[in-house]
Structure formats: structure tokens, C-alpha cells
Amino acid sequence: MSDVIPELPESTLAEVISLADELDALLTRRPRTTATPFDERRRALLSKHLGREVPEGIEPLTCIGDSNTMFFAGAERLRFVRYRRSAFWKPHWINRGLDLLPCFRVFHVGPATAWKAGDPGSSTRSREKIEILLKKDLKPGAKLLMSFGEIDCRIHMAKAVQAGGKIEDVVEKTAVKFVKLPAAIKARGFRPAVWAPPQIIPKDEKLSCPAFPFVGSWELRRDITYAYIERLKAHCAEHGIPCLSLAGLYHPRMEKAERALFHDGTHLSQRLMPLALAELQKAGILEIQ
């Protein structure tokens, strides 16, 4: 394991897996509003990640986005639970996570891109799903963390650069278009923050993954991802919207991260949750007394 981050104790990782397995059988389609036999274990797991005891009654941060958002659900693999329908004749589902950690409440709106996340009528119906969540699941003025853009860096912007586009032009267009979504949500009184692409998956052009395809070399996707994060942070700052990414923090910036830091070769392992919690608190996005 890299010296960049401390090793997560095996006992903590074992509890992540055990708690996820047992919560699976208990889940309903709505976020828990009353105590369950697992609430104390959820709080104890958060305490392990933070390295200190945490109080009861933590107000959860709502997380909305693509599959990378499921990192905050706390499990060591992707686990989707159907939650709300966003259409009737041709239903599109909003999924939720297991929510192993009491400080997060996670909603997955499909494999939506940063380019299309704010567009009504997209193939994933992401904008319609976000509107449903804003109306039915968030209180006025609530904080939310939005995660979109990793798919763009991994596939669509890489294709655009391979087709002759300049990295700086390609990432600028995507950042400018995406930031309109959190800016519009902020204008309605909510307090959005952005979780920028957290990783450059440690694969190269000779590998293939049908479930999570990628385009171009790792070096190309690395340069696109860092350039996109830089422009995204700049545009978010113009609107007073916090923007945070872990990419380059848990591994040497210009080198591939270790495979052990990804639970499926693509999505971040819970080994990185202590780092994420620390960075979110430092940025004022997450508040835990």
C-alpha cells in the first residue's frame, strides 16, 4: 500500500462488508427516518473512519450523481436499491445506497455525464431525477454534493481529444456547461457543492472493461482529468460553489494509483473514506461535531 495514505485496518474493512451485507436485508425504498438495530454500528463505523467518537443525530449530507457517488454510501462494492420512479410509461429509477455512514444520504441518478446532467430529456433523465429529489427529499436550503464528470473524462472528452480537439478547449466547454446545473440549484436557495472526478482509473489502452469502458491511454485520461478539475474549480469559485476532488491526493500526482485503492478496478475503495471525510470537513462541505 502507498505511503501517501495510512492503511485502513482490516477490522474496519471487515465491518464495512459485514454491515453492508446485513443492511441489505433490512432496506426499504425510503431513507430511514426511525432508529434501526444498525444505527449504532453505522455511527461506530463513522467513528472508526474519523478516529474519534461522533455524536448521535448527525445531519446527513445528500449526495447525488453517477456511480462514483456510491462511494459515500460506504460499501466496498456498488450496491443499488430502487428508490423512486421518475417516469410512468417508461420508468427511469432513482437508486439509493446502503448508507452505511450516518453523515451521508446517497442517490444515484444513472450513468449521467457532466455534459448532459443538466439537460432535460437526456437518455438517463438525470435532470428530471434531480428535480424530483430537490422537491421530495431535500429541505429548503439544504446542502447537497453533486458528482458528475468522471464518465466524460474517461470516455467522451478523451474521444474529442483523439478526434483532434485541444485538451484545454474540450475541458473548458464541459466545465462551462456543467457548472450551470449547480449554479441554477444554488439560485433556488439550496447549497450545492461539487465532487469533481475523484480518480483516473489505473488501466491502460490494452485492457477492456465492458461495464466501465474507457478511451485512450492512462496518460491522456490523466491530463484530461486534471485539466477538467482545474477549470471546474475555477468556474465553481466564480459562483461561490465549493468544489473538491481526491484525484492526485492519495497517489503521486503523475503516477497511477495502486489497484488496492479501487474495489472493482474503477471505483474508489472505502480505504479512502478517512481521507475523503477529512477533505470534505476541511472544505466546509461536511460538518460533523
Side-chain angles (χ1 to χ4, degrees):
M1 187 67 64
S2 170
D3 293 332
V4 178
I5 63 166
E7 177 71 33
L8 190 70
E10 285 301 320
S11 60
T12 302
L13 198 57
E15 174 63 359
V16 166
I17 296 170
S18 171
L19 183 54
D21 287 341
E22 294 182 43
L23 270 173
D24 255 345
L26 189 69
L27 280 177
T28 64
R29 290 185 178 178
R30 296 180 182 274
R32 286 176 298 280
T33 56
T34 58
T36 76
F38 296 101
D39 283 354
E40 182 56 37
R41 286 179 65 187
R42 294 171 66 232
R43 189 163 64 92
L45 178 58
L46 177 58
S47 295
K48 287 184 178 181
H49 283 315
L50 290 172
R52 61 180 173 83
E53 291 296 317
V54 295
E56 297 181 4
I58 296 171
E59 184 70 22
L61 173 66
T62 297
C63 306
I64 301 174
D66 60 20
S67 61
N68 291 281
T69 312
M70 300 304 288
F71 168 71
F72 298 107
E76 191 62 0
R77 67 180 175 88
L78 297 181
R79 299 192 184 209
F80 302 109
V81 180
R82 283 186 171 183
Y83 176 62
R84 289 192 188 276
R85 293 167 68 120
S86 63
F88 181 74
W89 294 110
K90 187 178 180 182
H92 290 261
W93 286 93
I94 299 170
N95 297 314
R96 54 165 297 202
L98 294 180
D99 297 346
L100 269 60
L101 302 175
C103 58
F104 297 119
R105 187 172 60 154
V106 179
F107 297 106
H108 173 246
V109 297
T113 62
W115 185 260
K116 285 286 191 178
D119 291 353
S122 69
S123 61
T124 63
R125 297 298 190 273
S126 56
R127 183 58 184 264
E128 290 83 353
K129 293 174 183 177
I130 291 170
E131 290 300 321
I132 290 171
L133 292 169
L134 292 176
K135 180 180 179 181
K136 296 186 176 182
D137 292 279
L138 274 85
K139 299 175 182 177
K143 285 186 176 182
L144 66 151
L145 184 63
M146 309 186 72
S147 172
F148 299 95
E150 189 273 334
I151 299 172
D152 304 71
C153 294
R154 175 162 44 91
I155 301 174
H156 303 291
M157 286 193 281
K159 283 184 178 179
V161 173
Q162 285 189 333
K166 294 182 179 180
I167 289 179
E168 55 267 30
D169 295 335
V170 170
V171 302
E172 178 69 10
K173 289 178 181 177
T174 302
V176 166
K177 186 177 182 187
F178 171 71
V179 79
K180 294 177 182 178
L181 175 59
I185 291 173
K186 181 181 179 183
R188 291 161 59 177
F190 295 99
R191 294 183 290 165
V194 172
W195 180 252
Q199 85 278 35
I200 306 99
I201 59 173
K203 301 176 181 178
D204 60 38
E205 63 275 17
K206 296 179 182 179
L207 299 175
S208 63
C209 178
F212 305 106
F214 54 90
V215 171
S217 67
W218 179 83
E219 289 77 12
L220 173 64
R221 289 179 279 111
R222 173 198 66 195
D223 294 345
I224 290 171
T225 300
Y226 287 144
Y228 176 67
I229 292 171
E230 180 181 349
R231 296 310 303 151
L232 182 60
K233 286 185 175 181
H235 287 294
C236 283
E238 291 174 2
H239 294 277
I241 297 171
C243 181
L244 175 65
S245 175
L246 291 190
L249 295 184
Y250 54 92
H251 57 94
R253 183 176 172 83
M254 302 306 287
E255 299 177 15
K256 294 182 181 182
E258 295 182 26
R259 293 290 184 95
L261 298 175
F262 302 81
H263 65 73
D264 58 2
T266 299
H267 296 89
L268 296 184
S269 165
Q270 291 300 298
R271 292 179 172 88
L272 291 170
M273 183 56 74
L275 174 62
L277 289 167
E279 292 297 315
L280 286 168
Q281 290 180 96
K282 188 189 305 181
I285 298 171
L286 180 66
E287 298 177 6
I288 304 175
Q289 298 299 322

